[in-house]
Amino acid sequence: MKIQVIVKTHELALKGKNRPWFMRRLVDNLKVATRGTGVERVWQGQMLVGLTLADEAAWPEVRERVRDCFGVAKFFKSYAVPPDLETVKSVLPSLLEKHSFNSFRITANRADKRFPIKSEDINRDLGAFVKDLTGAKVDLKHPDLQIFLDVLPKEIILYFEEVRGYGGLPVGVSGRVAAMLSGGIDSPVAAWQLMKRGCRVDFVHFHSYPLVDMSSIEKTIDLAQHLTRYQYDSRLFLVPLGDIQKQIILSTPPAYRILMYRRFMVRITEALARERRAKAIVTGESCGQVSSQTLDNIAVIDAVATLPILRPLVGYNKEEIINVARSIGTYATSILPDQDCCSLFVPKHPETRARVETVSRLESVLPVDELVQQALGNVTVKKFSSPEPIAAG
Ligand code: ATP
Ligand code: MG
């Protein structure tokens, strides 16, 4: 009996001419995602992708990895048998042994209409069989166990539990973006949202080491490694901001410093993005969440960008962001204490209604291009891959 995982896609049906390409990307991503788990083959069917498992033991790990693969709407582990009901009856007892249930429902779907028995007759026949076998009763509305049966031309596939994926688009179909990753709760969630929409995400982190300790760097490395699970390969650019901050504090009133930091961050991120052919910048800002995120201040930050700045969390409440952070596994790292570069030399109450002209005037005394180039010269890069490459030998 063949054990295979059947993956149903999300949205891909809508994409017309791009569909074959999207499906190929999904197949490739699933191959990478399930590396080293006992998947023998990944293949493409009509509107679905199949993964053939070496054995039952591979399932728990495969389940986790397929769930985290974007473009997957839902999937299930299935058993393929030759297309006749007697064979189905011969394998059901051992398959049902693994489930405990007092009620069940059979849902047959005759995709191959040449199969001589109608779906409702299959349901009735197998229903009686399972009832005799287990003593459980039929419950069409709220069964403990669903038994699905798809009748295909060459085989019948049997499955029990459907698992929901995140949907979205396969990573790689939407181009590259550069996400500003702070080590806080919001920016990892923002980066993840763009991966979910098919983007490859480069991470950019600004730090004030050695003016402060390495904690924000360590957290960001951890977050980048974790998020790589969703896109398989990542780069994290670590940018020292301390020298620029020292220049800023000499000439800028405290209330404006944080905005100034942000404008430099955006300029530097944009330069890195262009080098990597990334098409947009991503931040974790949410409207009004903190003083630097008022509409006025967002406009001041945007004014130095020529690439679009995407803010996927703009309409989220903090609690909603935290819920996503928990479910994608970044929350625990994000809440560790750190020394963030933006808290350096800034007052408790920064300007909330800055004007572009004021900030530009304050900035005009600084050698902006030179500072940007200097910072770019001191960038270090870390690379991540997931699943970890299997050591040779
Ligand atoms: P987060 O939870 O992502 O830190 P936040 O609510 O603390 O966000 P801010 O500190 O105002 O908000 O930062 C807004 C956004 O600016 C962040 O979401 C992130 O995208 C970017 N950002 C802030 N600090 C840094 C940093 N040190 N390095 C890279 N990006 C940063
Ligand atoms: Mg922050």
Side-chain angles (χ1 to χ4, degrees), residues 182-187 262 289-290 293 318 338 340 342:
S182 70
I185 297 169
D186 307 337
S187 44
R262 282 295 147 73
Q289 192 193 83
V290 293
Q293 299 175 13
K318 193 74 187 189
D338 67 6
D340 179 51
C342 290

Side-chain angles (χ1 to χ4, degrees), residues 262-275:
R262 282 295 147 73
R263 278 162 63 101
F264 274 94
M265 286 186 192
V266 166
R267 290 186 179 102
I268 295 164
T269 304
E270 186 159 298
L272 292 168
R274 288 196 183 282
E275 242 170 69

Side-chain angles (χ1 to χ4, degrees), residues 74-143:
K74 58 183 183 180
F75 60 102
F76 48 81
K77 176 185 59 174
S78 72
Y79 303 90
V81 296
D84 69 84
L85 291 188
E86 288 318 303
T87 316
V88 171
K89 286 179 188 169
S90 72
V91 299
L92 266 177
S94 69
L95 295 179
L96 291 176
E97 251 175 30
K98 298 180 197 118
H99 300 270
S100 85
F101 58 101
N102 293 319
S103 61
F104 70 97
R105 168 196 172 123
I106 311 257
T107 310
N109 173 25
R110 200 170 48 132
D112 179 17
K113 299 290 184 228
R114 288 168 309 179
F115 191 76
I117 309 169
K118 288 198 176 116
S119 299
E120 59 214 71
D121 294 331
I122 300 177
N123 291 343
R124 204 169 302 128
D125 183 8
L126 287 181
F129 175 79
V130 173
K131 203 168 144 193
D132 278 353
L133 182 73
T134 62
K137 63 179 194 310
V138 173
D139 181 345
L140 297 182
K141 285 226 170 88
H142 304 287

Side-chain angles (χ1 to χ4, degrees), residues 208-281:
S208 318
Y209 181 80
L211 301 177
V212 301
D213 67 17
M214 301 261 292
S215 52
S216 80
I217 298 177
E218 284 157 6
K219 279 174 68 176
T220 319
I221 289 175
D222 226 52
L223 290 167
Q225 174 68 64
H226 186 83
L227 288 170
T228 302
R229 177 179 179 84
Y230 300 96
Q231 66 173 359
Y232 320 118
D233 283 295
S234 307
R235 283 179 196 214
L236 167 63
F237 296 86
L238 293 167
V239 191
L241 198 68
D243 287 344
I244 293 179
Q245 291 178 289
K246 284 192 219 157
Q247 294 288 318
I248 291 173
I249 59 168
L250 292 178
S251 60
T252 310
Y256 283 93
R257 287 176 188 164
I258 192 143
L259 279 174
M260 215 76 129
Y261 299 167
R262 282 295 147 73
R263 278 162 63 101
F264 274 94
M265 286 186 192
V266 166
R267 290 186 179 102
I268 295 164
T269 304
E270 186 159 298
L272 292 168
R274 288 196 183 282
E275 242 170 69
R276 297 275 294 153
R277 299 187 194 286
K279 296 185 180 125
I281 294 172

